[in-house]
Amino acid sequence: MKLHKDTVVIHEGYDDSKHHGSLAVPLYQTSTYSFDTALTGEKRFSGEESGNIYSRLGNPTVRVLEERITVLEKGEGSLAFGSGMAAVSSILVHLTKAGDHILCSRGIYGCTFGLLSIMEEKYGITHDLIRMMSEEEIEKAVKPETVCIYVETPINPTMELVDLHAVVAVAKRHGLRVVVDNTFTSPYLQNPLEIGADFVLHSATKYINGHGDVIAGLLVGNNKEEMERIRMSVQKDYGAIMSPFDAWLLIRGLKTLPVRMERHTFNAEKLIKYLKGKACVETIYYPFDEENPQYDIAKRQMSAGGGLISFTVKGGKAGAQRFMDSLSLIKIAVSLGDAETLIQHPATMTHSSVPEIERLQMGITDSLLRLSVGLEHADDLIADLEQAFAVLERDNVKA
Ligand code: LCS
């Protein structure tokens, strides 16, 4: 029976009858597993027999999370990592060798940009960041040494979209692998594997966990055998695995992903309506805003807009910082996807390590703010924004 996502997040990959009827998935907080006999150990190592060996190679609690996310993302296999960046670096190590080229969306998370810079400097693996709104635009940037297309959509923090259908069409023509960082939408709102991507990854720190108490990453692929090869090579030998306790927390958080995403979206839509009426706000970036020139792309690949809004305020960096400092309920913090509403200034925070030229090419100006809309009552959030805008307006009058 094909289950809905709302049911998958609660039941997939776990049979309580095999665990003393324990309704909650047990936490297997163990580093190793005993073998009945020496021969069993030999067979598990050779792959002749399946079963647990050592928790860096697999753990029953972590496996439940991996199975759940595989089905949620409509993939064939998954791997859990100790951070989103561990998932990013592992898939890029798996797909590239010295001299290769990676085609990237025009914006990417600051640390992913940092990783690509290291790869270029140390191993000659080059990359280009380009806008990906049409097949022609992407096609033009493909080089003989290009091996993969790596995109975020929506892009952190500009909320610009990449046309996934166009990316997949070009990739198929050139035999390129497609990796999509799906952190901003969560598997509830967008499933790139269904469109034809090869890999999807998440900073599970964000919406998948949803409670701001774990750093974690997930990678899902469309080929089970290849995912197992990554498990027994890059993941086993680099060792960037997820702890059983973090997997246990993620399993708990994931159960409410659908209801949380609906509430995040509901609140974000209310806040957008409010922000549109504010004189201090210059531009608002949200995929499902009818005035967004990329609204058509959003509707083709996402089922709703989610909880992230970016906007620019009048007054440049000083105006943006003054506005943030005037908020009280809304916390100044990086990360996103938590119950608490968070605001951050990408130019001086998440993307501060990106050189200014590239940062501006990505669209990250000094007046850009990113709001991760939480689960509080929307009216309370609006009241907090209102008193902070009043401060900004007073400043503008004085100036
Ligand atoms: N991919 C995206 C799109 C991200 O936003 C982040 C973290 C990562 C990967 C890395 O995941 P991590 O290792 O932190 O689990 N983004 C952050 C942000 O925007 N604010 O703080 C962290």
Side-chain angles (χ1 to χ4, degrees):
M1 185 173 58
K2 200 169 169 296
L3 300 172
H4 293 87
K5 286 181 184 175
D6 313 64
T7 311
V8 168
V9 293
I10 296 170
H11 292 284
E12 187 64 41
Y14 180 64
D15 179 355
D16 63 11
S17 71
K18 295 188 178 136
H19 298 272
H20 307 284
S22 173
L23 194 60
V25 174
L27 169 57
Y28 285 94
Q29 188 72 29
T30 185
S31 48
T32 197
Y33 307 82
S34 64
F35 308 129
D36 290 348
T37 63
L39 185 62
T40 303
E42 182 181 345
K43 284 183 174 173
R44 292 217 184 145
F45 267 88
S46 70
E48 210 178 311
E49 182 186 300
S50 63
N52 297 310
I53 298 174
Y54 182 65
S55 278
R56 181 156 40 78
L57 319 184
N59 171 281
T61 309
V62 177
R63 208 167 294 124
V64 172
L65 176 67
E66 289 174 341
E67 289 186 18
R68 252 170 223 188
I69 205 75
T70 299
V71 174
L72 260 187
E73 275 293 11
K74 303 173 196 286
E76 295 296 328
S78 297
L79 297 171
F81 292 89
S83 69
M85 283 316 301
V88 175
S89 52
S90 297
I91 189 59
L92 289 179
V93 166
H94 171 69
L95 291 176
T96 60
K97 60 177 189 334
D100 284 345
H101 173 252
I102 306 169
L103 205 49
C104 300
S105 47
R106 183 163 65 168
I108 41 175
Y109 171 54
C111 294
T112 305
F113 183 86
L115 173 70
L116 288 169
S117 307
I118 294 172
M119 290 171 76
E120 182 152 342
E121 224 176 273
K122 298 192 72 155
Y123 310 113
I125 300 168
T126 57
H127 63 269
D128 281 305
L129 283 89
I130 62 152
R131 233 168 61 121
M132 297 189 183
M133 306 260 274
S134 69
E135 289 185 35
E136 298 72 52
E137 237 169 5
I138 306 164
E139 189 92 51
K140 270 199 299 211
V142 175
K143 296 180 175 180
E145 59 273 26
T146 308
V147 291
C148 71
I149 305 184
Y150 182 98
V151 304
E152 286 178 18
T153 183
I155 293 171
N156 184 0
T158 55
M159 302 306 288
E160 183 176 307
L161 301 184
V162 163
D163 184 339
L164 288 177
H165 291 89
V167 167
V168 167
V170 174
K172 288 218 168 14
R173 279 204 287 282
H174 294 271
L176 310 176
R177 312 300 298 280
V178 174
V179 183
V180 180
D181 183 332
N182 206 22
T183 300
F184 267 38
T185 50
S186 90
Y188 189 62
L189 302 183
Q190 177 171 271
N191 295 120
L193 297 180
E194 217 173 27
I195 298 173
D198 299 283
F199 300 95
V200 162
L201 65 88
H202 288 275
S203 167
T205 312
K206 314 289 161 39
Y207 288 112
I208 289 178
N209 178 48
H211 293 73
D213 46 18
V214 171
I215 298 283
L218 288 160
L219 174 70
V220 192
N222 63 2
N223 180 324
K224 191 175 175 61
E225 191 269 321
E226 184 177 20
M227 292 306 290
E228 284 313 303
R229 264 191 288 129
I230 301 174
R231 186 193 298 283
M232 296 312 280
S233 56
V234 179
Q235 193 184 41
K236 169 172 80 67
D237 298 342
Y238 276 46
I241 52 145
M242 183 184 288
S243 80
F245 181 60
D246 285 352
W248 188 84
L249 285 171
L250 284 161
I251 289 166
R252 189 160 76 154
L254 185 63
K255 285 183 186 180
T256 54
L257 178 74
V259 284
R260 284 189 283 110
M261 291 317 294
E262 277 168 23
R263 177 64 175 260
H264 284 301
T265 303
F266 175 82
N267 277 355
E269 285 171 356
K270 285 204 154 187
L271 263 53
I272 282 165
K273 250 190 220 139
Y274 164 78
L275 288 171
K276 281 188 175 178
K278 297 315 292 180
C280 288
V281 175
E282 291 169 332
T283 319
I284 301 169
Y285 303 95
Y286 187 70
F288 262 59
D289 179 358
E290 281 175 26
E291 290 171 37
N292 178 354
Q294 295 189 310
Y295 186 42
D296 277 350
I297 298 178
K299 279 190 292 186
R300 271 206 302 280
Q301 60 199 37
M302 299 166 71
S303 60
L308 284 155
I309 304 171
S310 288
F311 60 97
T312 54
V313 289
K314 286 190 182 147
K317 179 177 163 186
Q321 291 187 331
R322 176 89 163 127
F323 177 72
M324 293 166 88
D325 288 341
S326 307
L327 292 163
S328 67
L329 185 65
I330 296 173
K331 303 292 171 199
I332 304 172
V334 293
S335 204
L336 54 106
D338 294 348
E340 296 82 0
T341 297
L342 308 176
I343 194 162
Q344 69 113 357
H345 184 241
T348 57
M349 294 180 181
T350 51
H351 290 69
S352 56
S353 60
V354 178
E356 193 180 0
I357 295 178
E358 275 104 338
R359 187 158 54 72
L360 291 173
Q361 278 166 357
M362 289 181 186
I364 306 169
T365 60
D366 282 351
S367 56
L368 185 76
L369 290 167
R370 188 191 73 190
L371 192 66
S372 170
V373 182
L375 304 175
E376 303 95 335
H377 197 291
D379 291 350
D380 296 334
L381 298 173
I382 288 171
D384 196 24
L385 291 168
E386 181 67 15
Q387 58 82 25
F389 278 124
V391 174
L392 211 55
E393 273 154 26
R394 266 202 308 275
D395 285 2
N396 285 343
V397 171
K398 270 189 226 149

Coordinates of all heavy atoms in Angstrom, one line a residue, residues 56-117:
R56 N 29.7 2.7 12.9 CA 30.1 3.6 11.8 C 29.6 3.1 10.4 O 29.5 3.8 9.5 CB 31.6 3.8 11.8 CG 32.1 4.8 10.7 CD 33.4 5.5 11.0 NE 34.4 4.6 11.6 CZ 35.2 3.7 11.0 NH1 35.0 3.5 9.7 NH2 36.0 3.0 11.6
L57 N 29.3 1.7 10.4 CA 28.9 1.1 9.1 C 27.4 0.9 9.1 O 26.8 0.5 8.1 CB 29.5 -0.3 8.9 CG 31.0 -0.4 9.3 CD1 31.5 -1.8 8.9 CD2 31.8 0.6 8.5
G58 N 26.7 1.3 10.2 CA 25.2 1.1 10.3 C 24.8 0.9 11.7 O 25.5 0.3 12.5
N59 N 23.6 1.4 12.0 CA 23.0 1.3 13.3 C 21.5 1.2 13.2 O 20.9 1.9 12.3 CB 23.4 2.6 14.1 CG 22.7 2.7 15.4 OD1 21.5 3.1 15.5 ND2 23.4 2.4 16.5
P60 N 20.8 0.3 14.0 CA 19.4 0.1 13.8 C 18.5 1.4 13.9 O 17.5 1.6 13.2 CB 19.0 -0.9 14.8 CG 20.3 -1.5 15.2 CD 21.4 -0.5 15.0
T61 N 18.9 2.3 14.9 CA 18.1 3.5 15.0 C 18.3 4.4 13.8 O 17.3 5.0 13.3 CB 18.5 4.3 16.3 OG1 18.5 3.3 17.4 CG2 17.6 5.4 16.6
V62 N 19.6 4.6 13.4 CA 19.9 5.4 12.2 C 19.2 4.9 11.0 O 18.6 5.6 10.2 CB 21.4 5.5 12.0 CG1 21.7 6.3 10.8 CG2 22.1 6.1 13.3
R63 N 19.1 3.5 10.9 CA 18.5 2.9 9.7 C 17.0 3.2 9.6 O 16.5 3.4 8.5 CB 18.7 1.4 9.8 CG 18.8 0.7 8.4 CD 19.3 -0.7 8.4 NE 20.7 -0.8 8.8 CZ 21.1 -1.5 9.9 NH1 20.3 -2.2 10.6 NH2 22.4 -1.6 10.1
V64 N 16.3 3.3 10.7 CA 14.9 3.7 10.6 C 14.7 5.0 10.0 O 13.9 5.3 9.1 CB 14.2 3.7 12.0 CG1 12.8 4.2 11.9 CG2 14.2 2.2 12.6
L65 N 15.6 6.0 10.4 CA 15.5 7.3 9.8 C 15.9 7.3 8.3 O 15.2 7.9 7.5 CB 16.5 8.3 10.6 CG 16.6 9.7 10.0 CD1 15.3 10.4 10.2 CD2 17.8 10.4 10.7
E66 N 16.9 6.5 8.0 CA 17.3 6.4 6.6 C 16.1 5.8 5.7 O 15.9 6.3 4.6 CB 18.6 5.6 6.4 CG 19.8 6.3 7.0 CD 21.1 5.4 7.0 OE1 21.0 4.2 6.9 OE2 22.2 6.0 7.1
E67 N 15.5 4.8 6.3 CA 14.4 4.2 5.5 C 13.2 5.2 5.3 O 12.6 5.3 4.3 CB 13.9 2.9 6.1 CG 15.0 1.9 5.9 CD 14.6 0.5 6.4 OE1 13.4 0.2 6.5 OE2 15.5 -0.4 6.5
R68 N 13.0 6.0 6.4 CA 11.9 6.9 6.3 C 12.1 8.0 5.3 O 11.3 8.4 4.5 CB 11.7 7.6 7.7 CG 10.4 7.1 8.3 CD 10.2 7.4 9.8 NE 9.7 6.2 10.4 CZ 9.3 6.1 11.6 NH1 9.3 7.2 12.4 NH2 8.9 5.0 12.1
I69 N 13.4 8.5 5.3 CA 13.7 9.6 4.4 C 13.7 9.1 3.0 O 13.4 9.8 2.0 CB 15.0 10.4 4.9 CG1 15.0 11.8 4.4 CG2 16.2 9.7 4.4 CD1 14.1 12.7 5.1
T70 N 14.2 7.9 2.8 CA 14.2 7.3 1.4 C 12.8 7.4 0.8 O 12.6 7.8 -0.3 CB 14.7 5.9 1.4 OG1 16.0 5.8 1.9 CG2 14.7 5.2 0.0
V71 N 11.8 6.9 1.5 CA 10.4 6.9 1.0 C 9.9 8.3 0.9 O 9.2 8.6 -0.1 CB 9.5 6.0 1.9 CG1 8.1 6.0 1.5 CG2 10.1 4.5 1.9
L72 N 10.2 9.1 1.8 CA 9.7 10.5 1.8 C 10.2 11.2 0.6 O 9.5 12.0 -0.1 CB 10.2 11.3 3.0 CG 9.2 11.5 4.2 CD1 9.9 12.4 5.2 CD2 7.9 12.1 3.7
E73 N 11.5 11.0 0.2 CA 12.1 11.7 -0.9 C 11.9 10.9 -2.2 O 12.4 11.3 -3.3 CB 13.6 12.0 -0.7 CG 13.9 13.2 0.1 CD 13.5 14.5 -0.7 OE1 12.8 14.5 -1.7 OE2 13.9 15.6 -0.2
K74 N 11.1 9.8 -2.2 CA 10.9 9.0 -3.3 C 12.2 8.5 -4.0 O 12.3 8.5 -5.2 CB 10.0 9.7 -4.3 CG 8.7 10.2 -3.7 CD 7.9 11.1 -4.6 CE 6.8 11.8 -3.8 NZ 5.6 11.1 -3.4
G75 N 13.1 8.1 -3.1 CA 14.4 7.5 -3.6 C 14.5 6.0 -3.4 O 13.5 5.4 -3.1
E76 N 15.8 5.6 -3.5 CA 16.0 4.1 -3.4 C 16.9 3.8 -2.2 O 17.0 2.6 -1.8 CB 16.6 3.6 -4.7 CG 15.7 3.6 -5.9 CD 14.5 2.8 -5.8 OE1 14.5 1.7 -5.1 OE2 13.4 3.2 -6.3
G77 N 17.6 4.8 -1.7 CA 18.5 4.5 -0.6 C 19.0 5.9 0.0 O 19.0 6.9 -0.7
S78 N 19.3 5.8 1.3 CA 19.7 7.0 2.0 C 20.9 6.8 2.9 O 21.1 5.7 3.4 CB 18.6 7.6 2.9 OG 17.5 7.9 2.2
L79 N 21.6 7.9 3.2 CA 22.7 7.8 4.2 C 22.5 9.0 5.2 O 22.2 10.1 4.7 CB 24.1 7.9 3.5 CG 24.4 6.8 2.6 CD1 25.7 7.2 1.8 CD2 24.6 5.5 3.3
A80 N 22.8 8.7 6.5 CA 22.7 9.8 7.5 C 24.1 10.3 7.9 O 25.0 9.4 8.0 CB 21.9 9.3 8.7
F81 N 24.2 11.6 8.0 CA 25.5 12.2 8.3 C 25.5 13.0 9.5 O 24.4 13.5 10.0 CB 26.0 13.0 7.1 CG 26.3 12.3 5.8 CD1 25.3 12.0 4.9 CD2 27.6 11.8 5.6 CE1 25.6 11.2 3.8 CE2 27.9 11.1 4.4 CZ 26.9 10.8 3.5
G82 N 26.7 13.4 10.0 CA 26.8 14.2 11.2 C 26.5 15.6 11.0 O 26.3 16.4 12.0
S83 N 26.3 16.1 9.8 CA 25.9 17.5 9.5 C 25.5 17.6 8.1 O 25.8 16.7 7.3 CB 27.1 18.5 9.8 OG 28.1 18.3 8.8
G84 N 24.8 18.7 7.7 CA 24.5 18.9 6.3 C 25.8 19.0 5.5 O 25.8 18.5 4.4
M85 N 26.8 19.7 6.0 CA 28.0 19.8 5.3 C 28.7 18.5 5.0 O 29.4 18.3 4.0 CB 29.0 20.8 6.0 CG 28.6 22.3 5.8 SD 28.1 22.8 4.1 CE 29.6 22.4 3.2
A86 N 28.6 17.5 5.9 CA 29.2 16.2 5.7 C 28.5 15.5 4.5 O 29.1 14.8 3.8 CB 29.0 15.4 7.0
A87 N 27.2 15.7 4.4 CA 26.4 15.2 3.3 C 26.9 15.8 2.0 O 27.1 15.2 1.0 CB 24.9 15.3 3.4
V88 N 27.1 17.2 2.0 CA 27.5 17.9 0.8 C 28.9 17.4 0.4 O 29.1 17.1 -0.8 CB 27.5 19.5 1.1 CG1 28.1 20.2 -0.1 CG2 26.2 20.0 1.4
S89 N 29.8 17.4 1.4 CA 31.2 17.1 1.0 C 31.3 15.6 0.5 O 32.0 15.3 -0.4 CB 32.2 17.4 2.1 OG 31.7 16.8 3.3
S90 N 30.5 14.7 1.2 CA 30.6 13.3 0.8 C 30.1 13.1 -0.6 O 30.7 12.3 -1.4 CB 29.8 12.4 1.7 OG 30.3 12.6 3.0
I91 N 29.0 13.7 -1.0 CA 28.5 13.4 -2.4 C 29.5 14.1 -3.4 O 29.7 13.5 -4.5 CB 27.0 13.9 -2.6 CG1 26.5 13.4 -3.9 CG2 26.8 15.4 -2.5 CD1 26.5 11.9 -4.1
L92 N 30.0 15.2 -3.1 CA 31.0 15.8 -4.0 C 32.2 15.0 -4.2 O 32.8 14.9 -5.3 CB 31.2 17.3 -3.7 CG 30.0 18.2 -3.9 CD1 30.3 19.7 -3.5 CD2 29.5 18.2 -5.4
V93 N 32.7 14.5 -3.1 CA 33.9 13.6 -3.1 C 33.6 12.3 -4.0 O 34.3 11.9 -4.8 CB 34.4 13.2 -1.7 CG1 35.4 12.0 -1.8 CG2 35.0 14.4 -1.0
H94 N 32.4 11.8 -3.8 CA 31.9 10.6 -4.5 C 31.9 10.9 -6.0 O 32.3 10.0 -6.8 CB 30.6 10.2 -4.0 CG 30.0 9.1 -4.9 ND1 30.5 7.8 -4.9 CD2 28.9 9.1 -5.7 CE1 29.7 7.1 -5.7 NE2 28.7 7.8 -6.2
L95 N 31.4 12.1 -6.4 CA 31.2 12.3 -7.9 C 32.3 12.9 -8.6 O 32.3 12.9 -9.9 CB 30.0 13.3 -8.0 CG 28.6 12.8 -7.6 CD1 27.5 13.9 -7.7 CD2 28.2 11.6 -8.5
T96 N 33.4 13.4 -7.9 CA 34.4 14.2 -8.7 C 35.8 13.6 -8.5 O 36.1 12.9 -7.5 CB 34.4 15.6 -8.2 OG1 34.8 15.7 -6.8 CG2 33.1 16.4 -8.5
K97 N 36.7 13.9 -9.4 CA 38.1 13.6 -9.3 C 38.9 14.9 -9.8 O 38.2 15.8 -10.4 CB 38.5 12.4 -10.1 CG 38.2 12.5 -11.6 CD 38.7 11.3 -12.3 CE 38.6 11.5 -13.8 NZ 37.7 12.4 -14.4
A98 N 40.2 14.9 -9.5 CA 41.0 16.1 -9.9 C 40.7 16.5 -11.4 O 40.7 15.6 -12.2 CB 42.4 15.8 -9.6
G99 N 40.5 17.7 -11.6 CA 40.4 18.2 -13.0 C 38.9 18.3 -13.5 O 38.7 18.9 -14.5
D100 N 38.0 17.8 -12.7 CA 36.6 17.9 -13.1 C 36.0 19.3 -12.9 O 36.6 20.1 -12.2 CB 35.8 16.8 -12.3 CG 36.0 15.4 -12.8 OD1 36.5 15.2 -13.9 OD2 35.6 14.5 -12.0
H101 N 34.8 19.5 -13.4 CA 34.1 20.7 -13.3 C 32.7 20.5 -12.8 O 32.0 19.6 -13.2 CB 34.1 21.4 -14.7 CG 33.3 22.7 -14.7 ND1 32.0 22.7 -15.3 CD2 33.5 23.9 -14.2 CE1 31.6 24.0 -15.2 NE2 32.4 24.7 -14.6
I102 N 32.3 21.4 -11.8 CA 30.9 21.3 -11.3 C 30.2 22.6 -11.7 O 30.7 23.7 -11.5 CB 31.0 21.2 -9.7 CG1 31.9 20.1 -9.3 CG2 29.6 21.1 -9.1 CD1 32.2 20.1 -7.8
L103 N 29.0 22.4 -12.2 CA 28.1 23.5 -12.5 C 27.1 23.8 -11.4 O 26.4 22.9 -11.0 CB 27.4 23.2 -13.8 CG 26.9 24.3 -14.7 CD1 28.0 25.3 -15.0 CD2 26.4 23.7 -16.0
C104 N 27.2 25.0 -10.8 CA 26.4 25.3 -9.6 C 25.3 26.4 -9.9 O 25.5 27.3 -10.7 CB 27.2 25.8 -8.5 SG 28.5 24.7 -8.0
S105 N 24.3 26.4 -9.1 CA 23.3 27.5 -9.1 C 24.0 28.8 -8.7 O 25.0 28.7 -8.0 CB 22.1 27.2 -8.2 OG 22.6 26.7 -6.9
R106 N 23.5 29.9 -9.1 CA 24.1 31.2 -8.9 C 24.3 31.5 -7.4 O 25.2 32.3 -7.0 CB 23.3 32.3 -9.5 CG 23.9 33.6 -9.4 CD 23.3 34.6 -10.4 NE 21.9 34.9 -10.1 CZ 21.3 35.9 -10.7 NH1 21.9 36.6 -11.6 NH2 20.0 36.1 -10.4
G107 N 23.6 30.9 -6.5 CA 23.8 31.0 -5.1 C 23.8 29.7 -4.4 O 23.2 28.7 -4.9
I108 N 24.7 29.6 -3.4 CA 24.8 28.4 -2.6 C 25.1 28.8 -1.2 O 25.6 29.9 -0.9 CB 25.8 27.4 -3.1 CG1 27.1 28.1 -3.5 CG2 25.3 26.5 -4.2 CD1 28.2 27.2 -3.9
Y109 N 24.8 27.9 -0.2 CA 25.1 28.2 1.2 C 26.6 28.5 1.3 O 27.5 27.9 0.7 CB 24.7 27.0 2.0 CG 25.2 27.0 3.5 CD1 24.9 28.1 4.3 CD2 26.0 26.0 4.0 CE1 25.3 28.2 5.6 CE2 26.4 26.1 5.3 CZ 26.1 27.1 6.1 OH 26.5 27.2 7.4
G110 N 27.0 29.5 2.2 CA 28.3 30.0 2.4 C 29.4 28.9 2.6 O 30.5 29.0 2.0
C111 N 29.1 27.9 3.4 CA 30.1 26.8 3.6 C 30.2 25.9 2.4 O 31.3 25.3 2.2 CB 29.7 26.1 4.9 SG 29.9 27.1 6.3
T112 N 29.2 25.7 1.6 CA 29.3 24.9 0.4 C 30.2 25.7 -0.6 O 31.0 25.1 -1.2 CB 27.9 24.7 -0.2 OG1 27.0 24.1 0.8 CG2 27.9 23.8 -1.4
F113 N 30.0 27.0 -0.6 CA 30.9 27.8 -1.4 C 32.4 27.6 -0.9 O 33.3 27.5 -1.7 CB 30.5 29.3 -1.3 CG 31.3 30.2 -2.2 CD1 31.0 30.4 -3.5 CD2 32.4 30.9 -1.7 CE1 31.7 31.3 -4.3 CE2 33.2 31.7 -2.4 CZ 32.9 31.9 -3.8
G114 N 32.5 27.6 0.4 CA 33.9 27.4 1.0 C 34.5 26.1 0.6 O 35.6 26.0 0.2
L115 N 33.7 25.0 0.6 CA 34.1 23.7 0.3 C 34.5 23.7 -1.2 O 35.6 23.1 -1.6 CB 33.0 22.7 0.5 CG 33.2 21.3 0.0 CD1 34.3 20.6 0.8 CD2 32.0 20.4 0.0
L116 N 33.7 24.3 -2.1 CA 34.1 24.3 -3.5 C 35.4 25.1 -3.7 O 36.2 24.7 -4.6 CB 32.9 25.0 -4.3 CG 31.7 24.1 -4.5 CD1 30.5 24.9 -5.0 CD2 31.9 22.9 -5.3
S117 N 35.6 26.1 -2.9 CA 36.9 26.9 -3.1 C 38.1 26.0 -2.7 O 39.1 26.0 -3.3 CB 36.9 28.1 -2.2 OG 35.7 28.9 -2.5

